[in-house]
Amino acid sequence: MTSHHTAQTMKPATAAKKLGVYLEATPAEFREGVVSRSELNALQTDPPEWLRELRRNGPHPRPVVAAKLGVSISGLARGGVTEALTTEQIDAIKQDNPEWLQKERATQAEVRKEAVRIKEKNAERADEQARDSRS
């Protein structure tokens, strides 16, 4: 009995997510096929021109838009941004610096500070437990 090793494949939507690109902006042959793990690795290590262009100019998926603006995906929605945006559109929002963006960036800064505080508190608690268990 021989075991057949089949290549692990993924849907184009999954591959696009891993590549950080907006699926609807990818070429038809990418959207209509399946992507193997080795094909994904090849796209990541040596991206074709269409992928470099998408990463450079967009349109970008919401997680990328949120990261470029320094806000959460929920913050984007609260700001009324629900679609993929191009790099040019993102830069325009940064230039305009609307009130919602300022507010969401401040919220993100608070979330990050709180996450650091919790991490430090948990580390202190772990240190105390380690000291207590040794005594």
Side-chain angles (χ1 to χ4, degrees):
M1 184 187 251
T2 60
S3 72
H4 296 285
H5 182 53
T6 58
Q8 181 183 9
T9 60
M10 62 193 82
K11 294 177 182 174
T14 304
K17 193 174 195 175
K18 289 179 181 289
L19 293 169
V21 295
Y22 185 57
L23 178 63
E24 284 73 22
T26 61
E29 62 268 13
F30 181 86
R31 286 192 309 269
E32 294 163 3
V34 293
V35 181
S36 71
R37 175 66 60 189
S38 59
E39 289 171 331
L40 178 69
N41 290 341
L43 288 170
Q44 289 173 322
T45 55
D46 186 22
E49 184 54 36
W50 67 263
L51 181 54
R52 287 195 298 268
E53 180 67 21
L54 270 180
R55 287 178 169 169
R56 189 173 31 251
N57 298 316
H60 304 286
R62 287 182 306 143
V64 174
V65 173
K68 286 180 178 279
L69 289 174
V71 300
S72 67
I73 294 173
S74 300
L76 276 183
R78 285 189 292 272
V81 178
T82 57
E83 298 297 317
L85 298 178
T86 63
T87 300
E88 189 176 314
Q89 291 169 314
I90 294 168
D91 290 344
I93 292 172
K94 286 179 180 177
Q95 281 291 318
D96 292 345
N97 199 18
E99 189 176 324
W100 72 263
L101 180 60
Q102 295 171 36
K103 183 179 175 200
E104 291 301 332
R105 283 180 169 171
T107 300
Q108 275 300 98
E110 288 299 316
V111 167
R112 282 190 218 100
K113 277 194 335 196
E114 181 65 7
V116 167
R117 185 190 70 76
I118 290 170
K119 186 176 180 180
E120 289 171 351
K121 187 174 183 174
N122 289 341
E124 287 173 18
R125 190 175 295 141
D127 286 346
E128 288 173 17
Q129 288 175 344
R131 278 195 299 270
D132 290 347
S133 66
R134 282 181 271 181
S135 33

